[in-house]
Amino acid sequence: MKNIAVFASGEGTNFDVIAEACEQGVISAKVVLMVCDKPAAKVVEKAAQRGIDSFVFSPKDYSSKADYEREIVRLLDEKNVDLVCLAGYMRIVSDVLLSSYEGKMINIHPSLLPAFKGAHAVEQAIAYGVKVFGITIHWVDASLDGGKIIAQKAFYYDGNDAEEVHRIGQKIEHTMYVEVIDKLLKNNYS
Ligand code: GAR
């Protein structure tokens, strides 16, 4: 059985879907840790409800990013984590995490990368006037929403309702993230 950690900063719908897929045996792994940098985020409650250990912190309580990332690496090592899944974790990771977990850390992003990186991808895509939106899952490196692409799915939408695009994208994210995690764990990260 493999061990997964999920990092999130907000709602945690992807966290929930991944945890459920593990509980149901759809993914042959266990979510052993949820990491969150926003104590008030909904994902914190979701992890507690599922009885999943979490590390919830405020970056301002640490003197540097390296400081809290060292603590995260300690926990990931302690729990023998095989795969780290960023699911709406709104921070760029530094060398501290990457030196131990690069090649074992993936991210999901609501655009067809390399277009529209960052925290407002859908809103930027609508402002640009694109008609084909999408979701990308990629390996994590030190850049913002960079790293080699693992999977992408596109959908056509002609309009300017960002919430609608988020709704369509979220459904795709949920099935896609579970499929990709399962495949990576089964195929030894390829
Ligand atoms: C997801 O849509 C994810 O793609 C996005 O945050 C959302 C988190 O939703 N991530 C990024 O924008 C990364 N740059 P969730 O908390 O409900 O899983």
Side-chain angles (χ1 to χ4, degrees), residues 101-164:
Y101 284 89
E102 192 160 22
K104 291 186 174 181
M105 196 182 311
I106 61 177
N107 181 42
I108 191 159
H109 181 74
S111 79
L112 293 172
L113 289 172
F116 309 118
K117 297 177 176 184
H120 307 287
V122 168
E123 290 72 16
Q124 282 173 19
I126 286 181
Y128 199 88
V130 308
K131 306 293 177 221
V132 178
F133 294 77
I135 305 297
T136 303
I137 295 174
H138 62 92
W139 294 107
V140 174
D141 65 13
S143 62
L144 172 68
D145 297 318
K148 197 164 175 277
I149 290 172
I150 300 167
Q152 287 188 308
K153 278 193 181 158
F155 59 95
Y156 181 80
Y157 174 80
D158 189 0
N160 55 15
D161 183 348
E163 278 187 21
E164 180 75 16

Side-chain angles (χ1 to χ4, degrees), residues 164-181:
E164 180 75 16
V165 176
H166 275 294
R167 264 196 300 277
I168 300 168
Q170 200 175 54
K171 275 196 183 153
I172 295 173
E173 288 193 356
H174 292 169
T175 47
M176 192 177 165
Y177 220 178
V178 168
E179 278 169 20
V180 166
I181 292 168

Side-chain angles (χ1 to χ4, degrees), residues 12-58:
T13 65
N14 281 283
F15 160 78
D16 224 24
V17 163
I18 294 165
E20 183 65 21
C22 289
E23 273 176 33
Q24 299 299 323
V26 176
I27 299 174
S28 176
K30 188 173 179 211
V31 179
V32 293
L33 184 68
M34 193 283 292
V35 171
C36 179
D37 61 326
K38 296 243 160 58
K42 287 206 176 126
V43 69
V44 175
E45 228 172 89
K46 288 191 163 96
Q49 274 163 8
R50 288 187 178 274
I52 291 173
D53 286 352
S54 49
F55 174 59
V56 181
F57 67 100
S58 291

Side-chain angles (χ1 to χ4, degrees), residues 53-94:
D53 286 352
S54 49
F55 174 59
V56 181
F57 67 100
S58 291
K60 61 175 170 39
D61 294 340
Y62 291 80
S63 56
S64 66
K65 180 180 284 204
D67 250 25
Y68 66 72
E69 284 198 353
R70 267 193 287 275
E71 180 63 12
I72 295 173
V73 168
R74 193 186 65 72
L75 290 166
L76 295 173
D77 288 350
E78 187 181 282
K79 290 178 175 293
N80 291 314
V81 168
D82 299 291
L83 186 68
V84 176
C85 304
L86 307 189
Y89 180 69
M90 296 307 198
R91 293 194 175 268
I92 298 178
V93 302
S94 84

